[in-house]
Amino acid sequence: MADPTPATREDLTSDPSAIGIWRHRTLLPPSRHTVTLGEGETALLPLSVSTAPPGVKIHAKLESLNPTLSFKDRGMAVASSWALDLGMRGLMLASTGNAAVSASAYAAAAGMECRIFCGTESRAHQKLAAAAAHGAQVRLVDGDYSAAYAAAVGAESDGWFNVTTTYRNPALAEAYRTIAVEIFEQLGRVPGVVIVPVGAGPLLRAVLAGFSDLVTAGLAHSVPRMIGVQALACAPLAHAWSQDNWRLALAEAVPVSPTLAGAIADSLRGYEREGLLTLSAVKESRGTVVAVDEDSILAATHELARRGLLVEPAAAAALAALGLVGVRDVISDAHESQAHDVVLLLTGHGAKEPSATPTFEVPDGKRS
Ligand SMILES: Cc1ncc(COP(=O)(O)O)c(C=O)c1O
């Protein structure tokens, strides 16, 4: 991702005639085309949860309400607009599932082709079915997301825009900065803490960059503490964060096992150094990186569903993290100097991830 370009007050003023992320067009990489499915301007809701620390207000940013039900749509709108400018034939990418659905929908909207590489271990059948419905060519790669990443890089060729949503394509991350500006507009201030489910972490780093834009423009005085959350089953960043030498820690292979939060299961194998970008952003914001176990991810998914918010387990990991001591310490620290608001980024909807929603059997006799 490119370093944040200094923003001015004018840059952050929204254009009332545009919709969604395009209201903040000056924050986005310039493009002649505008491909949109109505992404951005997602709701920010107050959330009452049992694990909220006393005196702290929890808010949920519903990125699950984007057109293909994840935050990836912000990035794909910009990337597909760019691809049209560049006269590309299509989009190509490695994905754990959400980026696949998003890229295929935006490629379809732009009249382009789309090629997807997905690891068999991502178990993203439902998401891939949606991608295929949008006309994408799906290739399953034996192994995990890192294996799919390597396959996508190996297949890069002229005319195909690689929109793999790690740090590989900066256009996507630039678009995620709009999340920070929206939160600021919706709350009327910068929150003390933002909790973000992380794979490699470009989302977290871009959201911090968006808050830094507000500071540069003189609209805010400080950035929030950023908390990155991984599934314990695949947590290279949380592991490295707890070590003195990040570089060495990231180079070690961490044990990986299957997780309900498949969308954030990224072992970083082959591009370990990208993890340093994420860890540095977290450090700069005086936040932390944590890992949550499968039971707490499942409990958080169900708790949100019982409050009317159907999100996928990877997104619910943000709520699961609220119960951890390390997270509560960062929140109480922020509490002393910043606003009492904690924002959870609910990054993806549950409708595409049926594995974590309780099954409902229609009684046999009543089926016909
Ligand atoms: C639902 C969900 N949350 C969070 C993330 C993490 O994004 P990043 O790779 O930018 O850390 C992803 C990435 O695929 C995702 O699908």
Side-chain angles (χ1 to χ4, degrees):
M1 187 187 124
D3 278 333
T5 44
T8 64
R9 226 165 239 273
E10 290 70 46
D11 284 342
L12 295 163
T13 310
S14 60
D15 171 0
S17 65
I19 58 162
I21 62 166
W22 303 100
R23 287 193 306 120
H24 299 289
R25 188 183 268 279
T26 46
L27 271 189
L28 305 173
S31 63
R32 281 180 284 107
H33 291 85
T34 303
V35 181
T36 183
L37 291 169
E39 56 291 331
E41 286 190 285
T42 56
L44 182 75
L45 295 184
L47 191 65
S48 143
V49 283
S50 51
T51 43
V56 171
K57 292 186 194 135
I58 311 290
H59 309 263
K61 177 72 171 157
L62 302 187
E63 285 301 289
S64 48
L65 297 186
N66 276 297
T68 77
L69 310 182
S70 84
F71 72 96
K72 303 280 184 182
D73 293 340
R74 295 178 188 262
M76 293 303 171
V78 169
S80 53
S81 302
W82 254 26
L84 279 185
D85 280 6
L86 296 170
M88 295 282 178
R89 170 174 164 191
L91 306 180
M92 58 166 297
L93 71 158
S95 171
T96 56
N98 281 321
V101 187
S102 183
S104 55
Y106 282 84
M112 286 186 294
E113 296 173 59
C114 186
R115 281 187 190 157
I116 287 158
F117 297 82
C118 185
T120 44
E121 289 169 24
S122 292
R123 299 187 299 174
H125 311 298
Q126 189 117 346
K127 292 170 179 168
L128 295 179
H134 290 307
Q137 247 181 63
V138 179
R139 205 180 114 200
L140 281 177
V141 179
D142 236 0
D144 65 1
Y145 174 73
S146 293
Y149 182 98
V153 170
E156 279 175 352
S157 61
D158 283 353
W160 289 88
F161 201 40
N162 189 345
V163 292
T164 298
T165 60
T166 54
Y167 287 108
R168 199 160 185 87
N169 193 322
L172 299 137
E174 295 294 314
Y176 302 151
R177 285 152 80 150
T178 56
I179 296 174
V181 180
E182 288 178 21
I183 291 173
F184 178 72
E185 288 172 343
Q186 289 164 319
L187 268 185
R189 55 190 176 267
V190 171
V193 174
V194 179
I195 307 186
V196 188
V198 293
L203 170 64
L204 179 147
R205 188 167 182 263
V207 171
L208 178 63
F211 283 111
S212 300
D213 286 338
L214 291 160
V215 174
T216 310
L219 293 166
H221 299 298
S222 60
V223 297
R225 316 245 176 155
M226 303 299 295
I227 296 182
V229 187
Q230 299 208 289
L232 202 51
C234 182
L237 292 176
H239 164 70
W241 179 258
S242 66
Q243 308 293 310
D244 291 334
N245 189 328
W246 291 346
R247 208 173 280 270
L248 276 184
L250 285 168
E252 288 165 18
V254 288
V256 171
S257 49
T259 171
L260 285 168
I264 49 170
D266 187 344
S267 62
L268 301 179
R269 210 180 54 252
Y271 43 92
E272 296 82 1
R273 287 172 58 187
E274 290 185 358
L276 293 174
L277 295 171
T278 305
L279 297 177
S280 308
V282 171
K283 186 173 178 194
E284 177 194 328
S285 79
R286 294 181 298 146
T288 188
V289 186
V290 295
V292 286
D293 65 25
E294 293 299 296
D295 285 349
S296 56
I297 292 173
L298 190 61
T301 309
H302 289 168
E303 174 160 10
L304 287 166
R306 296 301 291 259
R307 290 175 194 282
L309 298 174
L310 194 64
V311 302
E312 65 179 283
L319 173 61
L322 259 191
L324 299 180
V325 176
V327 170
R328 296 176 90 84
D329 286 349
V330 171
I331 292 174
S332 72
D333 228 34
H335 205 150
E336 280 166 21
S337 52
Q338 290 161 297
H340 306 175
D341 308 285
V342 172
V343 174
L344 311 180
L345 286 198
L346 299 186
T347 43
H349 202 282
K352 287 184 293 181
E353 193 68 55
S355 59
T357 44
T359 47
F360 177 73
E361 299 283 338
V362 178
D364 265 356
K366 298 193 179 154
R367 197 167 283 171
S368 56

